[in-house]
């Protein structure tokens, strides 16, 4: 979701649009105008089909937004922080903190599919009512298509596999019955991997039989499988890092650079010996001012390297992820969001005491797992 643009707010939550959304509108608009509507209502003009197809695709996009907004509203009512809602080619994604109780998790999960089912029923009812009037057959057909699309969206999302909403529902119920959140998350994640594989196989078989829609189904299955695997990894990581502090994971002392030196001077001297791909920068007072990604330097034109200073091309401290040495590592990792992300700067007041990189986290996780296995 990195390639998403902020376009406003919905229900008080930042709304982002992924670059694949125009592709979604085109595909559904083209399919509706070029195939579905001419088959249902032959004899209309190409312009009428095109306009109706575009309207239908945009209405479907609004339906996806309503689905994700329902998740966001339900979460905020339960006191769960919601960071953003993103629309993309395969639907939508609501980024939020984990619910603290199974009841809240259940309500947040079920709100989206319920909204889609209600929207689908309303669209079908409106389409049936319009079809009775003369001259309204084409708008009625668009509404009927929209209704069935929303019903399909609601039912599909209720399949019992993470990251689908149905997987969240099963996860919440299992969490409530067993009291073991991690076990519930692992079960939902494994079911998501199985569902993803089944969708890929089914989509490929449909494609071999001549149905191009099979490729879309296989793509959805691939996303479900990858997302489920990521959630399993996240659950495993959370378990391994529970109770650890930032000081347990950080590397210290920290290799730094002065933010006032030019890019060319840095390239000629310190950059060659840098051990990390990201370096904290210090100002004249010795306080951290940002993080320099070495990969950014290669994109700076050679003539500008003599005048640009490191602070001009670095991520400022206000956008970096920071924590104190005594903060729980799990809580620090929850703060990771673009553009800051990793590394995490460990600060004692305004003094830089350590840095946490992905390598540090992997090393700490592996060490703790080895100790657990050895104790077992």
């Amino acid at each position: 979701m990195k390639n998403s643009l902020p376009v406003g707010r919905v229900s008080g939550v930042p709304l982002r649009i992924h670059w694949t959304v125009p592709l979604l509108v085109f595909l559904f608009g083209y399919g509706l105008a070029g195939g579905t509507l001419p088959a249902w209502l032959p004899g209309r003009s190409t312009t009428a089909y095109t306009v109706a197809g575009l309207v239908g695709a945009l209405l479907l996009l609004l339906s996806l937004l309503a689905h994700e907004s329902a998740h966001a509203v339900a979460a905020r009512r339960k006191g769960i922080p919601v960071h953003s809602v993103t629309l993309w080619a395969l639907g939508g994604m609501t980024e939020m903190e984990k619910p603290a109780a199974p009841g809240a998790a259940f309500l947040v999960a079920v709100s989206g599919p319920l909204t889609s089912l209600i929207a689908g029923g309303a669209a079908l009812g409106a389409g049936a009512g319009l079809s009775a009037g003369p001259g309204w057959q084409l708008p009625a057909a668009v509404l009927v298509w929209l209704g069935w699309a929303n019903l399909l969206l609601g039912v599909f999302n209720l399949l019992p596999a993470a990251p689908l909403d149905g997987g969240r529902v099963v996860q919440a119920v299992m969490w409530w019955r067993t009291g073991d959140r991690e076990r519930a998350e692992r079960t939902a994640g494994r079911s998501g991997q199985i569902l993803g594989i089944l969708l890929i196989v089914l989509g490929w078989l449909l494609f071999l039989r001549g149905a191009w829609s099979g490729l879309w189904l296989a793509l959805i299955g691939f996303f479900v499988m990858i997302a489920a695997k990521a959630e399993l990894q996240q659950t495993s990581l959370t378990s391994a890092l529970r109770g650890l502090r930032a000081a347990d994971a950080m590397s210290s002392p920290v290799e730094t650079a002065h933010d006032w030196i030019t890019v060319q001077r840095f390239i000629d001297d310190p950059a060659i010996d840098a051990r990390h791909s990201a370096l904290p920068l210090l100002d004249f007072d010795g306080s951290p001012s940002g993080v320099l990604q070495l990969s950014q330097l290669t994109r700076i034109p050679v003539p500008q390297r003599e005048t640009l200073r490191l602070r001009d091309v670095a991520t400022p401290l206000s956008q970096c992820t920071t924590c104190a040495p005594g903060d729980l590592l799990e809580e620090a990792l929850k703060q990771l969001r673009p553009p800051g992300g990793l590394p995490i700067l460990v600060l004692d007041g305004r003094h830089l005491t350590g840095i946490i990189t992905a390598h540090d986290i992997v090393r700490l996780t592996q060490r703790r797992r080895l100790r657990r296995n050895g104790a077992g």
Side-chain angles (χ1 to χ4, degrees), residues 9 69 80 124 146-149 165 170 191 195 204 250 346 367:
R9 304 179 76 87
S69 298
I80 303 170
L124 285 175
L146 179 67
W148 283 114
D165 296 326
V170 172
S191 63
L195 176 64
W204 183 246
M250 70 181 187
V346 184
R367 185 188 307 163

Side-chain angles (χ1 to χ4, degrees), residues 131-357:
S131 63
W136 290 93
Q137 284 79 14
L138 194 58
V142 172
L143 288 174
V144 170
W145 173 85
L146 179 67
W148 283 114
N150 272 278
L151 291 179
L152 178 62
L153 175 66
V155 172
F156 178 78
N157 268 278
L158 285 174
L159 292 177
L164 300 179
D165 296 326
R168 309 287 186 211
V169 171
V170 172
Q171 179 180 316
V173 172
M174 181 176 293
W175 179 14
W176 171 69
R177 293 190 62 182
T178 65
D180 190 338
R181 179 175 190 161
E182 291 180 4
R183 177 185 173 189
E185 290 177 345
R186 287 194 296 269
T187 301
R190 293 190 186 102
S191 63
Q193 288 183 307
I194 295 173
L195 176 64
I197 294 173
L198 292 177
L199 290 176
I200 292 173
V201 173
L202 178 60
W204 183 246
L205 291 176
L206 290 174
F207 174 71
L208 292 179
R209 290 177 175 269
W212 285 89
S213 58
L215 291 179
W216 189 263
L217 187 62
L219 181 61
I220 294 175
F222 179 75
F223 165 74
V224 169
M225 183 179 66
I226 295 300
K229 180 181 179 180
E231 293 200 7
L232 282 172
Q233 292 174 336
Q234 178 63 35
T235 300
S236 177
L237 181 65
T238 300
S239 175
L241 300 181
R242 180 172 290 108
L244 295 177
R245 304 286 175 177
D248 299 323
M250 70 181 187
S251 295
S252 183
V254 187
E255 184 177 2
T256 61
H258 300 297
D259 66 358
W260 67 85
I261 67 174
T262 64
V263 172
Q264 189 60 54
R265 179 181 170 187
F266 177 76
I267 292 175
D268 290 340
D269 185 17
I272 299 176
D273 299 325
R275 293 175 301 165
H276 300 293
S277 60
L279 287 179
L281 298 182
L282 302 181
D283 59 19
F284 280 110
D285 298 326
S287 299
S289 61
V291 172
L292 175 69
Q293 301 289 342
L294 297 186
S295 59
Q296 294 176 326
L297 301 183
T298 61
R299 296 192 290 268
I300 300 175
V302 174
Q304 298 181 18
R305 295 178 181 178
E306 293 286 358
T307 57
L308 281 177
R309 302 187 183 278
L310 294 185
R311 60 172 170 259
D312 299 326
V313 296
T315 303
L317 184 65
S318 60
Q319 298 180 12
C320 296
T321 306
T322 63
C323 69
D327 289 349
L328 286 173
L329 184 56
E330 182 180 354
E331 296 301 320
L333 292 175
K334 288 181 180 179
Q335 301 178 34
L336 295 179
R337 283 180 189 85
L342 288 169
I344 300 174
L345 301 184
V346 184
L347 307 180
D348 187 0
R350 288 287 298 170
H351 176 65
L352 179 66
T353 60
I355 185 174
I356 302 175
T357 66

